[in-house]
Amino acid sequence: MTQLDHTSHEITSGEIRAHLRERSAATLRRRMLVSKIMTVLCWAAIVAAAVPLIALLIRLFEKGTPVLFKSGFFTQLPQQPTLFDQTNTGGVSNAIVGTIAMIVYATLASVPIGVIVGVYTAESESKFAAAIRVVASTMVGAPSILMGLFAFGVIVVQLKLGFSILAGSFALSVLMLPVLISSTEIAVRNVPTTLREAGLALGAKPSTTSLRIVLPAATTGIVTGAILAISRAVGETAPILLVIGGAYAVTWKPGDPGSALSVSMYQDVGQAYDSLKDQAWGIGLLLVLVIFVLSFAARIWAARKQKVQR
Amino acid sequence: MNENMVNMMNALEDQAIVDPRTGPIAMRLNKVSVAFNGRVAVRDVTFDVPANNVTALIGPSGSGKTTLLRSLNRLHDLTKGAKVSGQILLGDDDVYGGAIPATVLRSRIGMVFQRPNPFPTMSLYDNVVSGLRFNGVKKKSILDAAAEESLRAAALWDEIKDRLKAHGSTLSGGQQQRLCIARALAVEPEVLLMDEPTSALDPIATQKIEELISQLKSRVTIVIVTHNMQQAARVSDLTAFLLMGEDRAGEQIEVAPTLKLFSQPDDPRTMDYIQGRFG
């Protein structure tokens, strides 16, 4: 410590205190001003973010709600309006079934693989696991049309299985895989080390510890991740547009060409008739509602589980 | 130095000192060192752990107490870059000799951790018998008997016998820690390692655990790491004092019967530590 020369400046403690008071009052005034400016900026940011979203939702509900209540929307096949009956658009039963079928098949295929790979990348220290981790996190952000092109190349061109629900499911499962791998990996990594150690200290094998302690403790995170992957896949248009073929029939068969809500919406928007454009709004609203319900369910479920376990 | 310590030490000095190491020995440590990625964390620790006694490891933060404790049940095995050298014997078996699988050794040497860590997805009952199940026990009658017996031994049976299907999170911190003790006891270990088992607990829960430790001696050999010197003085029969050496590796300064170590230690550094001059 340097030696302070007290004799050269005779400042009393009273003077120090007075100076401090004065400065702290000034500092406080400045802080209050900064605080006010920041508050205004925060509100401006919130408005900037919320207004377009709310405007979109209002428009969506306004245009979409009547369509959802139109008779036959859920049960009829699409109809082509004619000059004489411009409102005859039918329903979207084929697209609803097609979307459900594709989501179910894609989920059945991708969830087990994604979870297993995710657990592996979380538990393994190997270079291979690190490579998968990098690939998965890159693919999460990849443009979804890539998955469509890939499915087209593999299922339609190489395997000659044709434009089909199967090809769409394949594209969606490729889209979901990286999301599942990453979310599973995070969920497994979030399990406290001390639980794993407790298992080992009881004489359990490392594999037993992973399967019977770590994996159950990570279930909440894994399921939440899966639901979010599914809700992302539900609304995707690009990956399936190229490969499902489009069909005016209700079918669950993987080998058949199919339809999907997102694809129908895309096609309806491009039609000349206003009734079809309105139909697109209805489909959009339906998709948003489904995604909302899914992600809301995921949150509720996770919160409940968390409560039981903590 | 606080008053409690003075009183305690005065009381200790009046008692005759018996070295528990003259009786049967449960574990022998011979020049045990632990290094992480080449950096030595604990160096050349050598002492005997007397059977059916409580051995306390004390020392300031960074002196390697926990690191040493975790080497006893091979918990460093899964830490990349960790290396344990020297020899550790459990009875006549070499812990790191390779003849006995780590899983078998770990079921003979139980462990209780710093924070209570019941398995969150399992019921109280499932927690207690989990070690048995991991080792292949399926018979309900055996599991039931082991659950009751080890919960009684952990002084928890009367408190939870009516809600064995509940989750661990419904218990208080102290109860959770006793649940973890029951879980460790259920696999009938010869040695029980305790890593600061009361550091996350309130004084009343701490007292209960300390009473439990004294009761469990007849059944299992206990090695306990503690930050709390009074706790070491209260519960242990033998105390090992570790201190960080010049190269930041923990070294053993003195191992002595607890009464002796706290009343007339041989090493001046031990005296400094127990009088609160550092750490």
Side-chain angles (χ1 to χ4, degrees), chain B residues 127-167:
Chain B
N127 259 286
V128 178
V129 300
S130 58
L132 295 167
R133 284 192 174 139
F134 295 153
N135 287 288
V137 178
K138 290 198 175 74
K139 248 188 168 170
K140 182 102 170 55
S141 55
I142 302 229
L143 295 176
D144 286 353
E148 173 165 355
E149 199 274 334
S150 46
L151 280 170
R152 281 190 192 281
L156 194 59
W157 176 254
D158 291 330
E159 290 165 55
I160 67 163
K161 64 181 174 203
D162 300 324
R163 47 182 175 126
L164 291 172
K165 293 289 164 214
H167 272 259

Side-chain angles (χ1 to χ4, degrees), chain B residues 19-41:
Chain B
D19 193 328
R21 289 171 295 182
T22 53
I25 298 300
M27 294 190 87
R28 291 178 197 276
L29 283 68
N30 189 10
K31 286 190 161 291
V32 175
S33 298
V34 187
F36 297 104
N37 298 315
R39 199 184 69 76
V40 182

Side-chain angles (χ1 to χ4, degrees), chain B residues 186-204:
Chain B
V187 288
E188 301 290 343
E190 296 154 48
V191 177
L192 184 60
L193 310 177
M194 305 181 106
D195 184 6
E196 298 188 35
T198 62
S199 64
L201 304 182
D202 64 67
I204 292 170

Side-chain angles (χ1 to χ4, degrees), chain A residues 119-139:
Chain A
V119 171
Y120 169 74
T121 55
E123 302 257 311
S124 171
E125 306 259 334
S126 69
K127 290 229 169 73
F128 183 59
I132 294 180
R133 225 171 285 147
V134 173
V135 171
S137 56
T138 312
M139 292 308 283

Side-chain angles (χ1 to χ4, degrees), chain A residues 125 194-206 208 212-213 216-219 307-310, chain B residues 70 73 75 78 80 103 106-107 109 111 113 117-122 130-131 133-135 169 183-184:
Chain A
E125 306 259 334
T194 165
L195 284 186
R196 184 190 305 273
E197 289 180 346
L200 294 174
L202 287 167
K205 286 183 293 181
T208 310
R212 291 173 64 175
I213 297 169
T219 318
K307 228 193 228 166
V308 172
Q309 289 176 14
R310 293 281 139 82
Chain B
R70 290 162 67 94
N73 67 341
L75 217 49
L78 294 184
K80 226 180 166 189
T103 51
R106 294 197 195 107
S107 64
I109 308 174
M111 187 159 189
F113 296 81
N117 54 359
F119 300 132
T121 52
M122 294 185 196
S130 58
R133 284 192 174 139
F134 295 153
N135 287 288
S169 53
R183 182 175 69 187

Side-chain angles (χ1 to χ4, degrees), chain A residues 95 98-103 106 144-152 156 163-175 232-246 257-267 287:
Chain A
T99 289
I100 295 175
M102 266 186 291
I103 290 296
S144 55
I145 185 98
L146 273 182
M147 318 304 180
L149 282 172
F150 181 58
F152 180 77
V156 180
F163 297 96
S164 56
I165 289 181
L166 177 73
S169 308
F170 179 79
L172 290 182
S173 56
V174 176
L175 181 89
R232 183 180 165 195
V234 167
E236 278 292 348
T237 316
I240 51 179
L241 183 66
L242 295 172
V243 293
I244 58 167
S259 184
L261 287 170
S262 55
V263 173
S264 302
M265 182 178 167
Y266 171 78
Q267 287 164 344
L287 282 173

Side-chain angles (χ1 to χ4, degrees), chain B residues 33-60:
Chain B
S33 298
V34 187
F36 297 104
N37 298 315
R39 199 184 69 76
V40 182
V42 171
R43 172 174 296 128
D44 289 345
V45 173
T46 301
F47 65 87
D48 291 347
V49 176
N52 295 103
N53 276 278
V54 178
T55 300
L57 305 181
I58 63 167

